[in-house]
């Protein structure tokens, strides 16, 4: 039950909640933490109106656990948190990844580590979002840079999660979460909503972890006659534990191959003035807003600058960086951390262009002038 | 009904992982007899567990089954019960799983009084990880991490869960298997959070270190130390030291959580309440 179509002033966190409802969210479990709390508050209000369920759990571990249970029972499910809570959720994220249970985990980044500056923005969780849980695992991480983008992108987060049966991390930052901007809510009929693949065979024939050509095994809801087993132990196609080397190997390789197959469908990148650019900024989240201004200012001053705005951080959009690196002499990577994605940019650029980081870690967003100055240097 | 226990088992997944003499199988048998006596539809039963020897049980059961992370079974079960309140959701857990790492989820589920039946297989030890002490290891007992004797006091789990708000709490043992079955049946039939502590034996890791070399000795210990609620009421306190009470320890009617939430949905859909800032 999405809110009424039309233009509205919304806060980023509100757009996240509204977008999730539009995507078909029916279960939310969370534990309050700044700067993500408004998402829970909004959903406590909206979910029951749509016949959905909201619960405030006793902690973040309980919250991620509850959404996985809810998803297995057939509901589109989400949790939202920030830094310290995101750390607590890691074991559960690994469980969802390995058992292929769709769910969306929102992390509104704040200054860390530890309690840090709870009310101030940072982009320090980019690597944790990718590798926070133990073990080799695929994951999709999306990152919006505006309130309108938050609304649209959280819908994609659900669609990816359901379509490909994987947890999706939605990595916001404090600025995007708390600022208010115009969002044009589309009519329900204009919103594409994906559903998880469900079994087309009888319970007797159902193999819960046997995948077809798209490498995604159909998923039955609990309570619909398919009495199957789900475990975080390494499992075979039947869903039961295995330690056979060939099966252990096969599971990790299938999940990796599934991610590769999904990659073109889950990679969202905006290229702005990149085609003829001599210098390119690679940015994400609120930093991409400053970068877009910096690029315009540079052009006004006669410097051919361009912007790669990544809305998908993982899988990393290698191809966009590789192509830009072929033409540009340098790529600047401003981040509100000591340099996390800059290393990925460097890897993808593979020496074709100079890659230069720009770090800001004083609890303030990076300004257009700072980026412009770096563009003029390189 | 009276189906054979095998009707509820995934016999193709046997042999099970439990050691010879382990009491977990007896407790599981009581769970299945309880389910059978209630005539539940297998499709509408969901069995959830954490990590440990006890938590391996769902893999052998022909229901909707979920083997989760250590201590979190009740939290996973909460999500399932909220989405499908019509299902019977049963949690099978060990004493470490339920009382140590999962202790917070246990008391909060009891406080909410959500309709989940929890059976705790209490073997007084961490079996899966080879015999470290748990929050249920008796004071003075030995464990691999209490080589000089355990100086901690165990919980009275039933008192804890009842004080937290559960609708039903009871205790049985592997020795008192028929009583245990009846208690579990009542727990599953409860409209609210219910908890049954099943005292069981781990000859491999608890018995060996604590001068009870065989399962038979450990079952005899259960027989001699279990006192019925009625019996305990008549006994002087000093005679009860070192004994454990068996039977129904608490039963009351309190509103069940998912029913309360259904009322919220009704109100929200009628447009009542739900103010942002009153
Ligand atoms: C987060 C986490 N910590 C620790 C472990 C290791 N571990 C596995 S089972 C277990 C204890 C199980 O004991 P209990 O719950 O009493 O069940 P039992 O094996 O005795 O049936 C521990 C500590 C784990 N799997 N996960």
């Amino acid at each position: 039950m999405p809110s009424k179509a039309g233009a509205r002033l919304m806060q980023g966190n509100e757009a996240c909640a509204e977008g999730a409802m539009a995507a078909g969210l029916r279960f939310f479990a969370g534990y309050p933490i700044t700067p993500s709390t408004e998402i829970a508050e909004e959903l406590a209000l909206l979910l029951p109106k749509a016949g959905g369920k909201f619960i405030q759990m006793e902690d973040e571990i309980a919250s991620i656990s509850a959404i996985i249970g809810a998803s297995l029972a057939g509901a589109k499910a989400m949790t939202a948190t920030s830094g310290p809570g995101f750390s607590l959720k890691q074991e559960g994220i690994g469980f969802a990844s390995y058992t292929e249970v769709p769910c969306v985990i929102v992390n509104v980044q704040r200054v860390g580590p530890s309690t840090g500056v709870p009310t101030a923005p940072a982009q320090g969780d980019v690597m944790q979002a990718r590798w926070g849980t133990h073990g080799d695992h695929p994951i999709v991480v999306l990152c919006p840079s505006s309130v309108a983008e938050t609304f649209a992108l959280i819908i994609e987060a659900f669609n990816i999660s359901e379509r490909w049966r994987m947890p999706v991390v939605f990595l916001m930052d404090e600025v995007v979460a708390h600022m208010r901007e115009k969002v044009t809510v589309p009519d329900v009929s204009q919103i594409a909503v994906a559903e998880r693949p469900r079994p087309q065979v009888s319970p007797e024939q159902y193999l819960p972890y046997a995948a077809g050509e798209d490498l995604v095994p159909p998923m039955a809801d609990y309570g619909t006659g398919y009495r199957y087993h789900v475990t975080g132990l390494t499992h075979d196609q039947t869903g039961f534990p295995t330690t056979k080397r060939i099966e252990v190997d096969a599971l990790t390789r299938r999940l990796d191959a599934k991610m590769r197959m999904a990659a073109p469908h889950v990679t969202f990148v905006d290229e702005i003035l990149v085609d003829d650019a001599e210098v390119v900024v690679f940015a994400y989240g609120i930093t991409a807003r400053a970068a877009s201004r910096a690029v315009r200012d540079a052009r006004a001053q006669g410097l051919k600058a361009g912007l790669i705005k990544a809305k998908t951080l993982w899988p990393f959009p290698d191809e966009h960086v590789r192509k830009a690196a072929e033409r540009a002499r340098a790529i600047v990577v401003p981040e509100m951390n000591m340099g996390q994605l800059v290393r990925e940019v460097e890897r993808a650029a593979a020496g074709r262009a100079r890659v230069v980081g720009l770090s800001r870690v004083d609890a303030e967003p990076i300004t257009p002038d700072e980026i412009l100055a770096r563009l003029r240097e390189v | 009904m009276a189906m054979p226990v095998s009707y509820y088992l995934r016999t193709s997944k046997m042999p099970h992982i439990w050691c010879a003499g382990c009491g977990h199988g007896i407790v599981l048998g009581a769970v299945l007899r309880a389910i059978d006596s209630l005539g539940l539809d297998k499709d509408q039963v969901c069995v959830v567990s954490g990590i440990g020897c006890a938590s391996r049980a769902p893999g052998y059961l022909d229901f909707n089954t979920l083997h989760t992370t250590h201590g979190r079974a009740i939290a996973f079960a909460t999500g399932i019960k909220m989405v499908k309140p019509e299902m019977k959701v049963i949690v099978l857990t060990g004493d470490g799983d339920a009382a140590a790492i999962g202790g917070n989820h246990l008391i909060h589920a009891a406080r909410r009084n959500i309709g989940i039946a929890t059976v705790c297989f209490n073997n007084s030890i961490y079996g899966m990880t080879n015999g470290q002490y748990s929050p249920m290891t008796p004071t003075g007992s030995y464990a691999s991490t209490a080589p000089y004797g355990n100086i901690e006091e165990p919980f009275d789990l039933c008192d804890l869960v009842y004080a937290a708000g559960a609708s039903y709490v009871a205790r049985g043992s592997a020795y008192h298997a028929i009583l245990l079955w009846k208690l579990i049946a009542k727990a599953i039939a409860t409209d609210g959070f219910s908890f049954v502590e099943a005292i069981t034996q781990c000859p491999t890791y608890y018995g060996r270190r604590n001068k009870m070399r065989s399962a038979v000795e450990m079952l005899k210990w259960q027989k001699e130390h279990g006192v019925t609620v009625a019996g305990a009421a008549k006994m002087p306190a000093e005679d009860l030291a070192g004994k454990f009470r068996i039977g129904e320890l608490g039963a009351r009617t309190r509103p069940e959580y998912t029913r309360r939430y259904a009322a919220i949905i009704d109100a929200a859909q009628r447009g009542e309440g739900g103010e942002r800032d009153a």
Side-chain angles (χ1 to χ4, degrees):
Chain A
M1 200 173 69
S3 61
K4 268 195 252 99
R8 261 178 62 193
L9 188 66
M10 269 193 213
Q11 189 203 47
N13 279 340
E14 192 187 347
C16 177
E18 293 272 6
M21 292 304 294
L25 176 75
R26 285 299 172 273
F27 183 83
F28 179 93
Y31 188 81
I33 184 164
T34 303
S36 75
T37 306
E38 294 87 357
I39 299 170
E41 290 173 340
E42 198 61 26
L43 290 169
L45 198 64
L46 296 178
L47 272 166
K49 289 186 191 172
K53 319 275 167 79
F54 168 94
I55 188 168
Q56 183 172 307
M57 295 298 285
E58 51 275 15
D59 59 37
E60 288 84 352
I61 301 174
S63 304
I64 180 90
S65 303
I67 69 165
I68 297 168
S71 184
L72 283 162
K76 289 187 183 176
M78 177 171 100
T79 184
T81 189
S82 182
F86 192 54
S87 292
L88 288 179
K89 288 183 196 292
Q90 295 305 329
E91 189 190 10
I93 293 171
F95 184 91
S97 182
Y98 212 28
T99 56
E100 298 172 79
V101 176
C103 57
V104 175
I105 302 102
V106 180
N107 174 20
V108 183
Q109 295 168 96
R110 65 188 222 184
V111 174
S114 192
T115 310
V117 186
T119 53
Q123 296 181 309
D125 306 348
V126 173
M127 283 295 165
Q128 188 191 20
R130 174 65 191 90
W131 293 116
T133 197
H134 59 280
D136 213 345
H137 65 282
I139 195 132
V140 172
V141 180
L142 304 183
C143 177
S145 69
S146 72
V147 176
E149 223 169 77
T150 299
F151 185 92
L153 205 57
I154 190 79
I155 297 173
E156 298 295 349
F158 277 92
N159 289 350
I160 292 165
S161 179
E162 297 286 324
R163 165 68 187 86
W164 298 98
R165 284 194 65 177
M166 45 174 85
V168 173
V169 174
F170 197 68
L171 206 56
M172 297 172 70
D173 57 65
E174 190 276 338
V175 183
V176 171
H178 279 162
M179 70 182 166
R180 287 174 197 276
E181 291 185 296
K182 187 173 103 173
V183 176
T184 307
V185 177
D187 189 73
V188 200
S189 63
Q190 301 305 306
I191 298 175
V193 164
E195 302 298 327
R196 65 189 64 171
R198 289 191 163 84
Q200 304 297 316
V201 298
S202 68
E204 293 69 37
Q205 292 168 312
Y206 182 50
L207 281 172
Y209 287 94
E213 271 172 22
D214 63 356
L215 303 179
V216 184
M219 179 174 174
D221 302 349
Y222 278 168
T224 56
Y226 296 81
R227 295 188 304 272
Y228 68 108
H229 188 55
V230 175
T231 176
L233 285 166
T234 302
H235 40 277
D236 61 16
Q237 295 196 344
T238 66
F240 289 93
T242 180
T243 52
K244 288 199 189 107
R245 277 164 52 191
I246 188 167
E247 287 168 352
V248 176
D249 183 76
L251 178 54
T252 293
R253 288 188 188 279
R254 176 174 64 76
L255 295 180
D256 183 67
K258 180 174 81 167
M259 185 72 265
R260 286 166 198 277
M261 191 168 288
H265 308 282
V266 308
T267 302
F268 305 106
V269 175
D270 291 347
E271 290 192 359
I272 298 150
L273 302 172
V274 172
D275 280 348
D276 65 342
E278 294 161 14
V279 284
V280 169
V281 189
F282 178 99
Y284 53 94
I286 189 58
T287 310
R289 303 286 287 278
S292 123
R293 174 62 191 266
V295 163
R296 230 155 273 143
D297 290 351
R299 289 262 171 185
Q301 295 174 11
L303 175 63
K304 282 189 177 166
L307 169 65
I308 299 176
K309 178 168 88 177
K311 294 188 273 191
T312 300
L313 305 188
W314 303 106
F316 186 77
D318 279 36
E319 217 25 42
H320 293 265
V321 172
R322 195 185 59 73
K323 275 202 226 126
E326 272 168 12
R327 289 178 303 253
R329 79 169 166 266
I331 303 177
V332 172
V333 188
E335 301 180 89
M336 296 167 71
N337 58 48
M338 289 309 293
Q340 295 196 8
L341 273 193
V342 65
R343 295 185 185 135
E344 289 297 309
V345 174
E346 229 165 314
R347 180 185 55 73
R352 293 184 198 89
R354 219 180 125 207
V355 175
V356 180
L358 169 57
S359 292
R360 187 156 182 184
V361 290
D362 66 348
E364 286 291 333
I366 298 175
T367 65
D369 286 350
E370 287 173 281
I371 298 171
L372 181 62
R374 189 56 54 96
L375 282 173
R376 302 203 64 89
E377 277 165 30
V378 294
Chain B
M1 277 271 289
M3 299 297 285
V5 163
S6 61
Y7 172 74
Y8 300 98
L9 290 173
R10 291 169 173 150
T11 45
S12 66
K13 299 300 162 193
M14 308 274 179
H16 56 66
I17 64 153
W18 296 322
C19 305
C22 171
H24 285 359
I26 302 174
V27 177
L28 186 60
V31 172
L32 295 179
R33 288 182 182 93
I35 289 172
D36 185 68
S37 67
L38 296 169
L40 303 180
D41 173 1
K42 289 202 273 194
D43 287 336
Q44 293 306 314
V45 174
C46 186
V47 185
V48 187
S49 68
I51 297 291
C53 297
S55 292
R56 290 299 286 268
Y60 308 122
L61 304 184
D62 187 19
F63 302 109
N64 304 275
T65 55
L66 177 59
H67 178 223
T68 70
T69 51
H70 193 25
R72 318 300 172 193
I74 291 174
F76 281 79
T78 298
I80 296 167
K81 182 69 182 176
M82 282 204 61
V83 173
K84 295 254 163 103
E86 66 281 7
M87 286 184 83
K88 283 285 182 194
V89 181
I90 300 168
V91 166
L92 305 182
T93 175
D95 46 302
D97 199 57
I101 192 164
N104 204 32
H105 310 307
L106 176 65
I107 57 175
H108 284 277
R111 178 181 59 80
R112 290 185 190 105
N113 202 35
I114 188 164
I116 294 169
T118 296
V119 179
C120 177
F121 296 48
N122 177 10
N123 58 6
S124 312
I125 203 87
Y126 286 174
M128 181 63 97
T129 45
N130 303 5
Q132 301 76 27
Y133 68 91
S134 92
M136 300 307 294
T137 303
T139 315
S141 289
Y142 294 91
S144 68
T145 47
Y148 303 103
N150 180 26
I151 55 170
E152 299 186 15
E153 299 281 337
F155 279 127
D156 184 321
L157 267 187
C158 290
D159 282 357
L160 177 70
V161 173
Y162 200 62
S167 274
Y168 181 86
V169 296
R171 186 184 289 115
S173 81
Y175 175 81
H176 305 90
I178 294 174
L179 172 69
L180 182 63
W181 148 24
K182 307 278 166 179
L183 296 170
I184 295 172
K186 275 206 168 173
I188 296 171
T190 297
D191 188 23
F193 191 78
S194 60
F195 180 83
V196 178
E197 179 184 350
I199 309 272
T200 173
Q201 71 277 8
C202 176
T204 307
Y205 292 114
Y206 187 82
R208 243 191 343 209
R209 277 184 190 272
N210 289 284
K211 302 202 168 59
M212 285 189 279
R213 296 216 149 256
S214 72
V216 175
E217 265 180 87
M218 297 185 82
L219 283 161
K220 271 193 189 145
W221 182 91
Q222 291 168 24
K223 176 187 177 185
E224 285 154 13
H225 291 77
V227 182
T228 62
V229 175
K234 286 184 240 142
M235 278 165 72
E238 59 269 27
D239 290 2
L240 269 175
K243 302 247 167 36
F244 59 90
R245 289 181 305 151
I246 53 172
E248 226 171 87
L249 301 171
R252 62 188 160 198
T253 305
R254 279 187 65 215
E256 192 273 333
Y257 185 80
T258 61
R259 289 182 194 279
R260 283 185 151 179
Y261 200 86
I264 294 277
I265 292 177
D266 284 347
Q269 294 188 335
R270 282 196 307 269
E272 291 166 14
E275 294 306 314
R276 274 199 170 75
D277 282 302

